[in-house]
Each structure stands twice: as structure tokens, then as C-alpha cells.
Amino acid sequence: MVKVLRRSSGWVVGLLVWVCAAADPPAAPQFPCRPLTCSTLTPSLPVDDPHTNDCAYRAGNLWWVDYVAGSLAWSNQPPRTPIVVALFDDGAYIEHEDLRNQLWTNEAELHGKPGVDDDGNGYVDDIHGWNFIDNTPDVSPPQECRGQVSHGTLMASLIAAQRNNGVGIAAPGSDAARLMILKVVGCGAHRSDPLDPKRLARALEYATSMGARILSFSNHWYATTPELDYVFSEVADRQNSPRAAIVVASVPNKGEPTAGYPAAYPFSRIVRAVPIGNDDMISPGTSPAPFGLNLGAPSACVIGAAVPPQGYRVEQGSSNSTAILSGVLAGIWASPAYAKLTPDEFMAGVVRERMSKTPRRSKPGSRPPYDHGVPLADACVLATKERSARVCRGHEGKRANELQRNTAGRDVRQGP
Ligand SMILES: [Ca+2]
Ligand SMILES: [Ca+2]
Ligand SMILES: [Ca+2]
């Protein structure tokens, strides 16, 4: 039996429609240019990358980017091989000023003939993804969602909003990720559409056959089928699978007794996003995450893209953490040091060996298995002497102290 698909995201904190500059008013959507007051985490200013001009970053509203050392995943050196991140959600408003240049594009269809399946993949005119609800290439939220919450639009921006375009926000995957939009759930009146496992399996097949390397799931569900389990195991577990990708799964935070799928799968290429609220705490109500790669990422007071007329909005919830973690992973994976790694190599050498062993940890959560907190996700593996971020400098300081303590201990033991 299959139950209802739920979103992990929390509720809308507020709507922001502020104007950035005193010059001619910009065309809608407008963007926030005053510091928010809803977070007490990383101090808003100064920003880690002084050259990034996006309004919300300049105003200190992207604390969550600096919290994950997102600036280290940025590059001013194009061209760079992007990591295709498939977003499994309710579609996205792809005309948004911070999204329209960030999309994965199926070149064969872009330059092909309308109404013809130019690349023969079974999907006609699939230029930026596919709408698996209506079986069309239109991945935008339906009209009923305009002016309402479009979950996928927010998620897309938290993964890879366009950086240095002078407007809106930036995200950890801005320069590294390209967004493949897969509409697998409804929105508005259809928000509680039942999950169709066949539909989801088709979307997984599509994503991996079209080159997606990170699959971002900010949704979760509580029942599965053998068919869906098989497809997920091909994608997220089997060694040398031609469909291998990394699944980023949300751990919900509304008091659900278990994490649900896909977080519940014990597969080797799954990374779970644990929501971190203000003050480094695991969000109250976060479900127990299964043992494995569970990394904390910001959830509260996060600003991202919305459909017109809002343009941007602030929200909290574990969905945000999932999208941000997806962007961080894409940013690291696309860097010259790691770009050639296979999904298994990246998981073993970077996520498991380095990211999950960071000395940066959240404060303990209120219940098991969070008694000792969780490692915090960040791009500090990209830090160098020349280029670092505030959170990494703290991190490096801790490492230096540990090294000093260890060395001192050895000296004592080896003394005369
Ligand atoms: Ca096609
Ligand atoms: Ca076509
Ligand atoms: Ca921007």
C-alpha cells in the first residue's frame, strides 16, 4: 500500500518584498535587501566572498550559505563541468530571474523540432526535465500554485540560484550545479496526491539516464513497493551500476516517528540532511535518522525564490536542509580536485572520509540518536591557505588544537 507523499518543509515565516536600490525600481520579482532578524547563527556581515554581488548576500541574509562555507564552492573560472542535480518535487518556476540560467538543458531537444522526440528517449520536447504528473514537458507549477507556495521553486533556488547576477540570492551550488526539474508531486489542491511508485520509478530512470548525478528529495513517504526498492537500489546502492547517483534525502522534522523513504533506505549512496535550526540545534521534532551518513544543514530562516508576485520568501524546514546539502555536494564534486570521481569514489573519499568526520558538530538533539549531535555539512574540504571561510577557520583551529594535544601526549609518553 502506498501512502501520501509529504513535504518535509515547514511553514512560511513571512513574505519579503523589499527593494534593493534607490534607483529605478526593478521589475518584479523584487528581492530582500535588509538584514533579516530571524536567525542568530553565523553573524550576517562581513560576507565570506566580498566579490559576490547578489543583493541578499550583500545584505547578510544568506547566513546559511556562509554556515556551510558555500563561497568555497564558487568559482570565477568558467568553463566548469557542472553537476546535474535532479530535483524531485512539484516543479519549479523556471522563468525566475535566479533560476532561468541555472537549468540543465537537453541540447537535442533545445535545438530539435517541437513535437518531436529528437533524442529518442521517449519524452517529447523534454528540454529542462519532465512533468511526470501530466506527462508533458511543462515543469512549471500549475496556475493554481501561482501566488501560493511552490515548494520546488524554493528548493531549486537553494541548490543553485544564479550568483553574481546582481539580484536575489546565491546558493552553494550556484556555479557548479545545473537543475533538472522533475515534477513528481502535485501542488495547491493536489498537494496530497498519492504517490505513484511507477511514476517515481520512471522519474528515477529518466534522471539517471539523462546524466543526473545528485538526486534531491525534499519529500518523503512511508510505504514502498518492490519495484521502487529495486530502482532505488540500482541508483543508490549497487556497485558499478550504470544508473549510479547520489541520493540526498530529507529527515523530516514535524514529529514523525520515523524518517520515511528515501531516508529509510540503508543504501550506500544516500546522504541524509538533518535540519539544524537557530543556535546549532537539531530542530525539535526531527525524526530519528537511520545509522549512516547524516549531515546537519541549515533549516530555519532561509530565504529563497518564489513564484511571482512574491519573488522571494523565507521558510524553515528540513526541505531547506536537503536542498542546501545537495548544492554543497554539487559544489564540492564539480571542483577540479574531485570532478573526475565516480559517485562511489566521491561518497567514500569525500563524504564518508572527510565531511562526516568534520570537527564541526551540531549541539546534541533532544532525543536519540542525536545525543551527540551530527556532523555539520560544509564545503571546508575545499579550503586552502589562500581561500577559506569563517566556519572553516574555526574548524582548522580546532584541528590544530587537537593535533597539538595529541603531539603533546605523544611527547609525554615517549619521554625519558
Ligand atoms: Ca526527448
Ligand atoms: Ca523536440
Ligand atoms: Ca542571484
Side-chain angles (χ1 to χ4, degrees):
M1 195 179 103
V2 173
K3 293 185 181 174
V4 168
L5 190 68
R6 298 165 193 273
R7 288 183 178 80
S8 302
S9 166
W11 36 273
V12 174
V13 174
L15 297 175
L16 299 167
V17 188
W18 290 319
V19 178
C20 183
D24 293 336
Q30 298 170 335
F31 41 90
C33 274
R34 291 186 301 200
L36 303 177
T37 56
C38 53
S39 176
T40 55
L41 281 174
T42 308
S44 295
L45 295 171
V47 294
D48 272 341
D49 186 339
H51 305 294
T52 292
N53 65 25
D54 305 74
C55 183
Y57 197 59
R58 302 304 317 155
N61 288 345
L62 299 189
W63 67 271
W64 49 273
V65 173
D66 286 345
Y67 190 77
V68 297
S71 63
L72 297 181
W74 292 340
S75 170
N76 295 320
Q77 308 293 329
R80 182 176 183 176
T81 306
I83 298 290
V84 179
V85 180
L87 176 65
F88 292 74
D89 215 297
D90 60 7
Y93 178 66
I94 58 175
E95 291 87 14
H96 193 285
E97 61 185 0
D98 259 350
L99 295 180
R100 60 191 172 216
N101 297 323
Q102 302 299 95
L103 305 169
W104 165 81
T105 299
N106 182 351
E107 297 290 335
E109 293 287 1
L110 180 68
H111 303 294
K113 294 178 182 168
V116 173
D117 179 13
D118 297 284
D119 57 349
N121 67 351
Y123 297 87
V124 176
D125 298 346
D126 53 317
I127 296 178
H128 299 302
W130 192 254
N131 176 344
F132 288 89
I133 299 283
D134 305 310
N135 207 29
T136 74
D138 181 6
V139 295
S140 293
Q143 198 59 37
E144 62 178 309
C145 290
R146 300 293 174 89
Q148 299 181 39
V149 172
S150 166
H151 190 267
T153 302
L154 178 75
M155 293 304 110
S157 72
L158 303 187
I159 296 168
Q162 187 174 358
R163 185 177 74 96
N164 259 344
N165 60 345
V167 298
I169 69 165
S174 289
D175 297 343
R178 285 299 173 267
L179 296 158
M180 178 188 288
I181 310 297
L182 304 178
K183 187 171 173 179
V184 294
V185 291
C187 69
H190 300 293
R191 178 164 294 173
S192 57
D193 278 355
L195 166 67
D196 179 343
K198 288 190 187 313
R199 184 165 68 207
L200 192 50
R202 277 204 313 276
L204 280 160
E205 297 269 4
Y206 178 91
T208 51
S209 65
M210 298 305 286
R213 301 174 80 190
I214 292 176
L215 315 183
S216 188
F217 284 88
S218 291
N219 302 293
H220 60 278
W221 55 92
Y222 287 99
T224 182
T225 65
E227 180 195 15
L228 200 51
D229 292 348
Y230 173 76
V231 178
F232 263 107
S233 69
E234 281 291 299
V235 168
D237 204 41
R238 188 167 71 82
Q239 297 288 308
N240 303 318
S241 166
R243 296 287 165 84
I246 292 173
V247 170
V248 183
S250 67
V251 179
N253 66 338
K254 293 183 188 168
E256 294 89 338
T258 58
Y261 295 102
Y265 284 123
F267 297 153
S268 61
R269 291 188 292 269
I270 289 196
V271 190
R272 301 180 195 85
V274 176
I276 305 297
N278 283 348
D279 301 327
D280 289 335
M281 295 288 291
I282 294 172
S283 303
T286 299
S287 306
F291 178 78
L293 291 170
N294 305 318
L295 300 178
S299 65
C301 189
V302 170
I303 184 168
V307 296
Q310 288 93 340
Y312 296 88
R313 73 177 199 266
V314 176
E315 190 158 325
Q316 66 174 11
S318 57
S319 290
N320 298 343
S321 317
T322 311
I324 293 166
L325 177 56
S326 297
V328 170
L329 293 176
I332 297 171
W333 203 354
S335 70
Y338 304 120
K340 291 195 168 71
L341 298 186
T342 66
D344 283 320
E345 289 168 345
F346 183 75
M347 287 296 294
V350 179
V351 182
R352 203 178 305 277
E353 274 307 305
R354 299 196 60 190
M355 294 180 74
S356 73
K357 293 181 179 174
T358 173
R360 285 187 73 219
R361 290 187 77 87
S362 75
K363 292 176 183 170
S366 53
R367 58 175 169 164
Y370 302 122
D371 301 329
H372 302 288
V374 291
L376 294 172
D378 60 48
C380 292
V381 299
L382 300 178
T384 61
K385 261 187 190 170
E386 294 73 33
R387 194 176 179 206
S388 190
R390 275 174 294 158
V391 295
C392 308
R393 288 194 284 271
H395 176 160
E396 287 152 9
K398 274 188 192 171
R399 278 211 164 144
N401 289 340
E402 278 166 12
L403 190 64
Q404 207 167 26
R405 275 199 303 276
N406 292 342
T407 307
R410 245 197 333 272
D411 286 342
V412 169
R413 286 193 300 274
Q414 293 170 352

